[in-house]
Amino acid sequence: MRFAKYHGIGNDFVLVADPGDSLKLESEFVRRVCDRRFGVGADGVIRVAPAEDADFFMDYVNSDGSIGEMCGNGIRCLAIFARSEGLTDKTKLRVSTRAGIRTLDVLDDGRVRADMGPPIFEPSAIPVKWDGDDALKATFQVENDTVQAACVSMGNPHAVLYVENVEAPRLMTLGPILETHDAFPNGTNVEYAHVESSDRIRMRVWERGSGETLACGTGACAVAVVSRVLKDTRETVTVVLPGGELEVSWAGWLDRDAPVYLTGPVSKSFEGELEAR
């Protein structure tokens, strides 16, 4: 099986082209491929398959073998991979995902801009167990502490916690606890955010199914959205992650149904072949 490894500011993926729609990403196979000592090493595997209603279908599986509905950096990597593999020569792509169809633009500077669709605030659709119209100020009991989080979905669930220092060691111990908390029926991604200015936010992320990663596209979108609502940040912000920077735009101050746009670089690491053993 031929593959290529790409990353979006350190959020890395193994991508395989499947124009015949004949491959199946078994959980054990994905875990072995993503293992950073005994495999290729990645945050997830993406199978690029045909789609009836779009240019491609993104079949995304997390490094632990669990299915992912959406991946912001992964879908941006898909655009460059598909063009590199000769699957398309388009600079504007429509990609079907488990969270719906997303539109991608390959920009002249090599970056990829993704229309991530509108954020989802309704608790039952995130999903999160919380009463009210939204869960932007939800509280949860974690061991002996009460934790407040702003919950939103970008096609996958997110819980954003505002902190003074995103480098605090305790944060990553809290991540796996919240990921599997009873309040989140499908689990959740956990973001730690600090608003440095009206157009700049620093964050770290604990990704559902992958653990701490250097970047998370949907997480950056979630942080930008809830910061716009709760912290009065600007329509376009730079989100700074351990792996680099992403640009997120959301004209949702008055219209929460406005789409979120995610823009950032994509890099190819290497390509090769996998052997079945």
Side-chain angles (χ1 to χ4, degrees), residues 93-142:
L93 301 174
R94 296 177 73 251
V95 178
S96 177
T97 75
R98 293 184 177 89
I101 292 178
R102 299 293 185 263
T103 302
L104 306 170
D105 288 286
V106 180
L107 306 181
D108 292 339
D109 62 6
R111 295 184 302 162
V112 179
R113 183 175 188 250
D115 178 345
M116 301 296 290
I120 298 170
F121 295 95
E122 182 184 347
S124 63
I126 293 175
V128 59
K129 296 177 182 177
W130 184 256
D131 294 330
D133 295 332
D134 62 41
L136 291 176
K137 294 184 179 180
T139 56
F140 309 100
Q141 285 299 124
V142 177

Side-chain angles (χ1 to χ4, degrees), residues 171-189:
L171 299 182
M172 288 304 122
T173 64
L174 183 60
I177 299 174
L178 280 175
E179 176 191 359
T180 58
H181 195 282
D182 290 343
F184 300 97
N186 297 337
T188 190
N189 299 275

Side-chain angles (χ1 to χ4, degrees), residues 7-275:
H7 74 87
I9 62 168
N11 196 190
D12 55 350
F13 310 93
V14 168
L15 291 103
V16 294
D18 186 17
D21 200 17
S22 60
L23 303 176
K24 185 175 181 180
L25 297 181
E26 300 284 356
S27 296
E28 178 58 27
F29 167 78
V30 171
R31 287 194 292 269
R32 288 168 55 197
V33 169
C34 292
D35 190 293
R36 296 192 181 276
R37 294 186 181 274
F38 297 101
V40 177
D43 292 325
V45 174
I46 297 173
R47 181 178 69 97
V48 183
E52 293 183 359
D53 54 352
D55 293 298
F56 302 104
F57 170 65
M58 182 178 77
D59 182 11
Y60 177 63
V61 181
N62 294 306
S63 61
D64 69 350
S66 62
I67 297 295
E69 303 95 339
M70 168 49 59
C71 180
N73 286 323
I75 200 170
R76 293 190 310 100
C77 288
L78 182 153
I80 303 299
F81 171 76
R83 285 170 51 82
S84 177
E85 291 291 304
L87 302 176
T88 184
D89 60 0
K90 295 180 179 179
T91 57
K92 192 178 188 70
L93 301 174
R94 296 177 73 251
V95 178
S96 177
T97 75
R98 293 184 177 89
I101 292 178
R102 299 293 185 263
T103 302
L104 306 170
D105 288 286
V106 180
L107 306 181
D108 292 339
D109 62 6
R111 295 184 302 162
V112 179
R113 183 175 188 250
D115 178 345
M116 301 296 290
I120 298 170
F121 295 95
E122 182 184 347
S124 63
I126 293 175
V128 59
K129 296 177 182 177
W130 184 256
D131 294 330
D133 295 332
D134 62 41
L136 291 176
K137 294 184 179 180
T139 56
F140 309 100
Q141 285 299 124
V142 177
E143 297 177 343
N144 295 324
D145 293 331
T146 299
V147 175
Q148 180 170 307
C151 300
V152 68
S153 172
M154 286 303 312
N156 54 357
H158 294 271
V160 179
L161 285 71
Y162 288 99
V163 297
E164 286 300 315
N165 178 15
V166 299
E167 301 300 329
R170 179 179 178 273
L171 299 182
M172 288 304 122
T173 64
L174 183 60
I177 299 174
L178 280 175
E179 176 191 359
T180 58
H181 195 282
D182 290 343
F184 300 97
N186 297 337
T188 190
N189 299 275
V190 183
E191 286 81 28
Y192 307 98
H194 175 68
V195 177
E196 295 185 336
S197 67
S198 62
D199 62 355
R200 189 174 178 87
I201 307 168
R202 189 171 297 274
M203 67 167 273
R204 286 172 71 192
V205 59
W206 179 273
E207 284 201 59
R208 179 189 59 168
S210 298
E212 184 177 12
T213 59
L214 293 180
C216 176
T218 55
C221 292
V223 165
V225 165
V226 300
S227 296
R228 180 82 171 126
V229 176
L230 299 178
K231 303 293 183 177
D232 198 23
T233 51
R234 294 183 183 175
E235 179 176 322
T236 298
V237 297
T238 297
V239 181
V240 184
L241 301 108
E245 297 181 354
L246 295 170
E247 179 185 282
V248 182
S249 297
W250 182 55
W253 186 252
L254 297 177
D255 179 14
R256 288 193 175 187
D257 291 328
V260 182
Y261 292 96
L262 172 70
T263 306
V266 170
S267 299
K268 182 178 182 179
S269 300
F270 55 84
E271 61 184 23
E273 294 183 354
L274 294 168
E275 289 186 6

